Amino acid sequence: IQTDLVQFLQDIIERFEMLQHEHLHFLRNLPERSIMVQIDTDKMTQVVDNIISNAIKYSPEGGTISVSASLHGRKIKVSVADQGVGIPKNNVSKIFDRFFRVDRARSRDLGGTGLGLAITKEIVLAHGGDIWAESEWGQGTTIHFTLPLKKVRGE
Ligand code: ATP
Ligand code: MG
């Protein structure tokens, strides 16, 4: 089944906007036209929910969360950028590992298990995509993931 990823992202952002009433703003940087992808919508909802939940959870003073989607050849890239606490450089690639959490004490207070991004990565890879993080300690974090636009037999 094909899903319009742009509308799919809009719906998720709207749901978060309904839940959040504080100093948190969502910025959309989404294509005007629809972009069809073949996804398991329940699983992909889990992916986007996990990434946005982290952006909220690790942005103590609120701030802006930007959700972007853009085409790159036969892939679509989705990016979620926050202005939160950031991740130390040597930890950026580890956040997708099971149970890895940057600051155990702080993370314990915030709740959770440290599995969110490990599951997220598993789902993205199962869809034929990639996921990675960019972050500046104290400045914010951007999580990027890609999805193939179309599955072609024999490729
Ligand atoms: P869970 O998602 O299981 O409730 P969690 O949020 O701690 O718990 P992950 O989502 O897997 O686990 O994230 C792993 C760790 O990566 C987090 O504990 C946090 O230290 C760091 N992290 C993830 N996203 C961000 C972000 N947007 N900004 C800063 N740190 C982040
Ligand atoms: Mg999480």
Side-chain angles (χ1 to χ4, degrees):
I1 304 164
Q2 302 263 326
T3 304
D4 174 13
L5 192 73
V6 177
Q7 190 56 51
F8 175 82
L9 292 171
Q10 288 277 19
D11 292 346
I12 294 179
I13 296 167
E14 264 168 47
R15 173 159 49 78
F16 273 99
E17 282 176 332
M18 304 264 281
L19 293 170
Q20 296 285 329
H21 354 237
E22 319 214 349
H23 328 276
L24 200 92
H25 295 280
F26 281 92
L27 219 142
R28 297 157 170 80
N29 198 346
L30 303 171
E32 296 289 333
R33 67 174 189 89
S34 44
I35 290 171
M36 305 309 287
V37 286
Q38 211 163 6
I39 52 171
D40 178 326
T41 50
D42 284 350
K43 293 225 162 85
M44 200 50 62
T45 298
Q46 209 182 328
V47 163
V48 180
D49 276 4
N50 277 342
I51 295 170
I52 293 178
S53 299
N54 282 343
I56 294 169
K57 188 168 162 184
Y58 302 107
S59 298
E61 4 42 62
T64 299
I65 296 174
S66 308
V67 180
S68 314
S70 53
L71 290 171
H72 298 267
R74 303 263 306 271
K75 289 175 181 172
I76 180 157
K77 184 170 86 166
V78 178
S79 305
V80 177
D82 66 57
Q83 302 173 317
V85 296
I87 301 162
K89 219 171 215 84
N90 56 321
N91 285 339
V92 174
S93 60
K94 297 183 191 159
I95 62 169
F96 300 100
D97 295 351
R98 274 164 198 277
F99 305 116
F100 179 83
R101 314 185 81 180
V102 169
D103 177 340
R104 290 192 170 274
R106 186 195 64 193
S107 299
R108 201 164 39 235
D109 293 340
L110 289 171
T113 57
L115 276 172
L117 285 179
I119 294 163
T120 296
K121 180 173 180 174
E122 211 170 275
I123 296 170
V124 170
L125 294 186
H127 279 79
D130 264 315
I131 186 163
W132 67 99
E134 249 183 302
S135 189
E136 205 68 58
W137 184 226
Q139 305 273 312
T141 300
T142 306
I143 303 291
H144 305 276
F145 71 88
T146 61
L147 291 173
L149 276 181
K150 223 201 266 169
K151 286 218 173 81
V152 177
R153 219 175 246 283
E155 270 194 347

PDB file of all heavy atoms in Angstrom, residues 7 17 24 27 29 43 54 57 63 65 82 94-95 101 118 121 126 133 139 151:
ATOM      1  N   GLN A   7       1.589  14.024   3.818  1.00  0.00           N
ATOM      2  CA  GLN A   7       0.366  14.074   4.633  1.00  0.00           C
ATOM      3  C   GLN A   7       0.542  13.290   5.932  1.00  0.00           C
ATOM      4  O   GLN A   7       0.099  13.716   7.004  1.00  0.00           O
ATOM      5  CB  GLN A   7      -0.817  13.509   3.823  1.00  0.00           C
ATOM      6  CG  GLN A   7      -2.170  13.740   4.474  1.00  0.00           C
ATOM      7  CD  GLN A   7      -2.441  15.220   4.754  1.00  0.00           C
ATOM      8  OE1 GLN A   7      -2.305  16.058   3.866  1.00  0.00           O
ATOM      9  NE2 GLN A   7      -2.780  15.552   5.997  1.00  0.00           N
ATOM     10  N   GLU A  17       1.024  18.736  18.130  1.00  0.00           N
ATOM     11  CA  GLU A  17       0.626  20.122  18.423  1.00  0.00           C
ATOM     12  C   GLU A  17      -0.595  20.159  19.329  1.00  0.00           C
ATOM     13  O   GLU A  17      -0.719  21.038  20.182  1.00  0.00           O
ATOM     14  CB  GLU A  17       0.347  20.881  17.124  1.00  0.00           C
ATOM     15  CG  GLU A  17       1.642  21.319  16.438  1.00  0.00           C
ATOM     16  CD  GLU A  17       1.402  21.998  15.106  1.00  0.00           C
ATOM     17  OE1 GLU A  17       0.389  21.691  14.444  1.00  0.00           O
ATOM     18  OE2 GLU A  17       2.230  22.815  14.701  1.00  0.00           O
ATOM     19  N   LEU A  24       6.618  25.255  22.880  1.00  0.00           N
ATOM     20  CA  LEU A  24       7.181  24.398  21.848  1.00  0.00           C
ATOM     21  C   LEU A  24       6.512  24.684  20.507  1.00  0.00           C
ATOM     22  O   LEU A  24       5.295  24.758  20.420  1.00  0.00           O
ATOM     23  CB  LEU A  24       6.940  22.944  22.245  1.00  0.00           C
ATOM     24  CG  LEU A  24       7.869  21.984  21.547  1.00  0.00           C
ATOM     25  CD1 LEU A  24       9.097  21.754  22.395  1.00  0.00           C
ATOM     26  CD2 LEU A  24       7.156  20.699  21.274  1.00  0.00           C
ATOM     27  N   LEU A  27       8.021  23.605  13.166  1.00  0.00           N
ATOM     28  CA  LEU A  27       8.243  24.280  11.896  1.00  0.00           C
ATOM     29  C   LEU A  27       8.203  23.199  10.829  1.00  0.00           C
ATOM     30  O   LEU A  27       8.866  22.170  10.955  1.00  0.00           O
ATOM     31  CB  LEU A  27       9.624  24.917  11.939  1.00  0.00           C
ATOM     32  CG  LEU A  27       9.779  26.280  11.317  1.00  0.00           C
ATOM     33  CD1 LEU A  27      10.728  27.108  12.148  1.00  0.00           C
ATOM     34  CD2 LEU A  27      10.295  26.117   9.902  1.00  0.00           C
ATOM     35  N   ASN A  29       8.909  22.015   6.974  1.00  0.00           N
ATOM     36  CA  ASN A  29       9.629  22.299   5.741  1.00  0.00           C
ATOM     37  C   ASN A  29       9.360  21.128   4.803  1.00  0.00           C
ATOM     38  O   ASN A  29      10.208  20.276   4.596  1.00  0.00           O
ATOM     39  CB  ASN A  29      11.124  22.427   6.072  1.00  0.00           C
ATOM     40  CG  ASN A  29      11.878  23.124   4.984  1.00  0.00           C
ATOM     41  OD1 ASN A  29      11.366  23.290   3.874  1.00  0.00           O
ATOM     42  ND2 ASN A  29      13.103  23.503   5.273  1.00  0.00           N
ATOM     43  N   LYS A  43       4.291   1.036  11.950  1.00  0.00           N
ATOM     44  CA  LYS A  43       5.702   1.025  12.328  1.00  0.00           C
ATOM     45  C   LYS A  43       6.347   2.390  12.071  1.00  0.00           C
ATOM     46  O   LYS A  43       7.144   2.870  12.867  1.00  0.00           O
ATOM     47  CB  LYS A  43       6.447  -0.062  11.537  1.00  0.00           C
ATOM     48  CG  LYS A  43       5.991  -1.470  11.921  1.00  0.00           C
ATOM     49  CD  LYS A  43       7.175  -2.397  12.104  1.00  0.00           C
ATOM     50  CE  LYS A  43       6.828  -3.646  12.902  1.00  0.00           C
ATOM     51  NZ  LYS A  43       6.273  -4.717  12.069  1.00  0.00           N
ATOM     52  N   ASN A  54      11.702  12.260  21.479  1.00  0.00           N
ATOM     53  CA  ASN A  54      13.050  12.574  21.958  1.00  0.00           C
ATOM     54  C   ASN A  54      13.331  14.069  21.832  1.00  0.00           C
ATOM     55  O   ASN A  54      13.872  14.684  22.754  1.00  0.00           O
ATOM     56  CB  ASN A  54      14.108  11.812  21.158  1.00  0.00           C
ATOM     57  CG  ASN A  54      14.228  10.360  21.593  1.00  0.00           C
ATOM     58  OD1 ASN A  54      13.770   9.970  22.659  1.00  0.00           O
ATOM     59  ND2 ASN A  54      14.857   9.565  20.749  1.00  0.00           N
ATOM     60  N   LYS A  57      11.564  15.658  24.618  1.00  0.00           N
ATOM     61  CA  LYS A  57      12.100  15.224  25.920  1.00  0.00           C
ATOM     62  C   LYS A  57      13.457  15.850  26.221  1.00  0.00           C
ATOM     63  O   LYS A  57      13.753  16.184  27.366  1.00  0.00           O
ATOM     64  CB  LYS A  57      12.227  13.704  25.839  1.00  0.00           C
ATOM     65  CG  LYS A  57      12.573  12.930  27.064  1.00  0.00           C
ATOM     66  CD  LYS A  57      12.329  11.454  26.735  1.00  0.00           C
ATOM     67  CE  LYS A  57      13.007  10.497  27.663  1.00  0.00           C
ATOM     68  NZ  LYS A  57      12.802   9.092  27.209  1.00  0.00           N
ATOM     69  N   GLY A  63      11.463  25.458  22.667  1.00  0.00           N
ATOM     70  CA  GLY A  63      12.177  25.778  21.444  1.00  0.00           C
ATOM     71  C   GLY A  63      11.417  25.295  20.222  1.00  0.00           C
ATOM     72  O   GLY A  63      10.243  24.950  20.307  1.00  0.00           O
ATOM     73  N   ILE A  65      10.999  22.780  16.931  1.00  0.00           N
ATOM     74  CA  ILE A  65      11.317  21.487  16.328  1.00  0.00           C
ATOM     75  C   ILE A  65      10.954  21.588  14.849  1.00  0.00           C
ATOM     76  O   ILE A  65       9.804  21.863  14.504  1.00  0.00           O
ATOM     77  CB  ILE A  65      10.531  20.351  17.013  1.00  0.00           C
ATOM     78  CG1 ILE A  65      10.976  20.227  18.480  1.00  0.00           C
ATOM     79  CG2 ILE A  65      10.735  19.032  16.267  1.00  0.00           C
ATOM     80  CD1 ILE A  65      10.178  19.236  19.289  1.00  0.00           C
ATOM     81  N   ASP A  82      16.040  19.668  16.568  1.00  0.00           N
ATOM     82  CA  ASP A  82      15.618  20.353  17.787  1.00  0.00           C
ATOM     83  C   ASP A  82      16.718  21.293  18.264  1.00  0.00           C
ATOM     84  O   ASP A  82      17.831  21.284  17.753  1.00  0.00           O
ATOM     85  CB  ASP A  82      15.232  19.341  18.883  1.00  0.00           C
ATOM     86  CG  ASP A  82      16.404  18.512  19.383  1.00  0.00           C
ATOM     87  OD1 ASP A  82      17.405  19.103  19.850  1.00  0.00           O
ATOM     88  OD2 ASP A  82      16.323  17.264  19.339  1.00  0.00           O
ATOM     89  N   LYS A  94      26.355   6.389  18.950  1.00  0.00           N
ATOM     90  CA  LYS A  94      25.946   5.323  19.883  1.00  0.00           C
ATOM     91  C   LYS A  94      24.470   5.388  20.268  1.00  0.00           C
ATOM     92  O   LYS A  94      23.946   4.445  20.861  1.00  0.00           O
ATOM     93  CB  LYS A  94      26.770   5.411  21.180  1.00  0.00           C
ATOM     94  CG  LYS A  94      28.254   5.198  20.977  1.00  0.00           C
ATOM     95  CD  LYS A  94      28.960   5.244  22.325  1.00  0.00           C
ATOM     96  CE  LYS A  94      30.480   5.296  22.136  1.00  0.00           C
ATOM     97  NZ  LYS A  94      31.127   5.827  23.344  1.00  0.00           N
ATOM     98  N   ILE A  95      23.813   6.497  19.961  1.00  0.00           N
ATOM     99  CA  ILE A  95      22.437   6.663  20.456  1.00  0.00           C
ATOM    100  C   ILE A  95      21.464   5.655  19.843  1.00  0.00           C
ATOM    101  O   ILE A  95      20.370   5.487  20.357  1.00  0.00           O
ATOM    102  CB  ILE A  95      21.904   8.109  20.256  1.00  0.00           C
ATOM    103  CG1 ILE A  95      21.853   8.487  18.784  1.00  0.00           C
ATOM    104  CG2 ILE A  95      22.753   9.098  21.065  1.00  0.00           C
ATOM    105  CD1 ILE A  95      21.094   9.798  18.525  1.00  0.00           C
ATOM    106  N   ARG A 101      22.264   5.479  26.727  1.00  0.00           N
ATOM    107  CA  ARG A 101      21.720   6.782  27.081  1.00  0.00           C
ATOM    108  C   ARG A 101      22.885   7.675  27.478  1.00  0.00           C
ATOM    109  O   ARG A 101      23.795   7.243  28.175  1.00  0.00           O
ATOM    110  CB  ARG A 101      20.748   6.647  28.254  1.00  0.00           C
ATOM    111  CG  ARG A 101      19.788   5.489  28.049  1.00  0.00           C
ATOM    112  CD  ARG A 101      18.748   5.396  29.109  1.00  0.00           C
ATOM    113  NE  ARG A 101      17.650   6.339  28.846  1.00  0.00           N
ATOM    114  CZ  ARG A 101      16.600   6.459  29.649  1.00  0.00           C
ATOM    115  NH1 ARG A 101      16.525   5.777  30.753  1.00  0.00           N
ATOM    116  NH2 ARG A 101      15.652   7.296  29.349  1.00  0.00           N
ATOM    117  N   ALA A 118      16.866   2.405  19.057  1.00  0.00           N
ATOM    118  CA  ALA A 118      17.288   1.098  18.540  1.00  0.00           C
ATOM    119  C   ALA A 118      16.149   0.479  17.731  1.00  0.00           C
ATOM    120  O   ALA A 118      16.357  -0.033  16.618  1.00  0.00           O
ATOM    121  CB  ALA A 118      17.708   0.186  19.689  1.00  0.00           C
ATOM    122  N   LYS A 121      15.668   2.524  14.504  1.00  0.00           N
ATOM    123  CA  LYS A 121      16.650   2.183  13.467  1.00  0.00           C
ATOM    124  C   LYS A 121      16.288   0.862  12.787  1.00  0.00           C
ATOM    125  O   LYS A 121      16.352   0.749  11.561  1.00  0.00           O
ATOM    126  CB  LYS A 121      18.047   2.085  14.090  1.00  0.00           C
ATOM    127  CG  LYS A 121      19.119   1.725  13.069  1.00  0.00           C
ATOM    128  CD  LYS A 121      20.502   1.796  13.648  1.00  0.00           C
ATOM    129  CE  LYS A 121      21.533   1.433  12.583  1.00  0.00           C
ATOM    130  NZ  LYS A 121      22.907   1.632  13.069  1.00  0.00           N
ATOM    131  N   ALA A 126      14.570  -1.918   8.002  1.00  0.00           N
ATOM    132  CA  ALA A 126      13.648  -2.911   7.418  1.00  0.00           C
ATOM    133  C   ALA A 126      12.876  -2.327   6.233  1.00  0.00           C
ATOM    134  O   ALA A 126      12.408  -3.067   5.371  1.00  0.00           O
ATOM    135  CB  ALA A 126      12.681  -3.410   8.485  1.00  0.00           C
ATOM    136  N   ALA A 133      22.463  10.591  12.989  1.00  0.00           N
ATOM    137  CA  ALA A 133      22.245  11.777  13.814  1.00  0.00           C
ATOM    138  C   ALA A 133      23.368  12.773  13.604  1.00  0.00           C
ATOM    139  O   ALA A 133      24.500  12.404  13.266  1.00  0.00           O
ATOM    140  CB  ALA A 133      22.182  11.385  15.286  1.00  0.00           C
ATOM    141  N   GLN A 139      23.664  22.526  21.772  1.00  0.00           N
ATOM    142  CA  GLN A 139      23.087  23.323  20.672  1.00  0.00           C
ATOM    143  C   GLN A 139      21.834  22.704  20.071  1.00  0.00           C
ATOM    144  O   GLN A 139      20.964  23.415  19.588  1.00  0.00           O
ATOM    145  CB  GLN A 139      24.104  23.461  19.528  1.00  0.00           C
ATOM    146  CG  GLN A 139      25.446  24.031  19.930  1.00  0.00           C
ATOM    147  CD  GLN A 139      25.437  25.539  19.888  1.00  0.00           C
ATOM    148  OE1 GLN A 139      24.985  26.140  18.921  1.00  0.00           O
ATOM    149  NE2 GLN A 139      25.900  26.159  20.948  1.00  0.00           N
ATOM    150  N   LYS A 151      10.014   0.651  -4.565  1.00  0.00           N
ATOM    151  CA  LYS A 151      10.767  -0.609  -4.624  1.00  0.00           C
ATOM    152  C   LYS A 151      10.692  -1.141  -6.044  1.00  0.00           C
ATOM    153  O   LYS A 151       9.631  -1.258  -6.619  1.00  0.00           O
ATOM    154  CB  LYS A 151      10.154  -1.626  -3.663  1.00  0.00           C
ATOM    155  CG  LYS A 151      10.467  -1.330  -2.214  1.00  0.00           C
ATOM    156  CD  LYS A 151      10.713  -2.642  -1.473  1.00  0.00           C
ATOM    157  CE  LYS A 151      11.200  -2.398  -0.069  1.00  0.00           C
ATOM    158  NZ  LYS A 151      10.091  -2.099   0.853  1.00  0.00           N
TER     159      LYS A 151
END
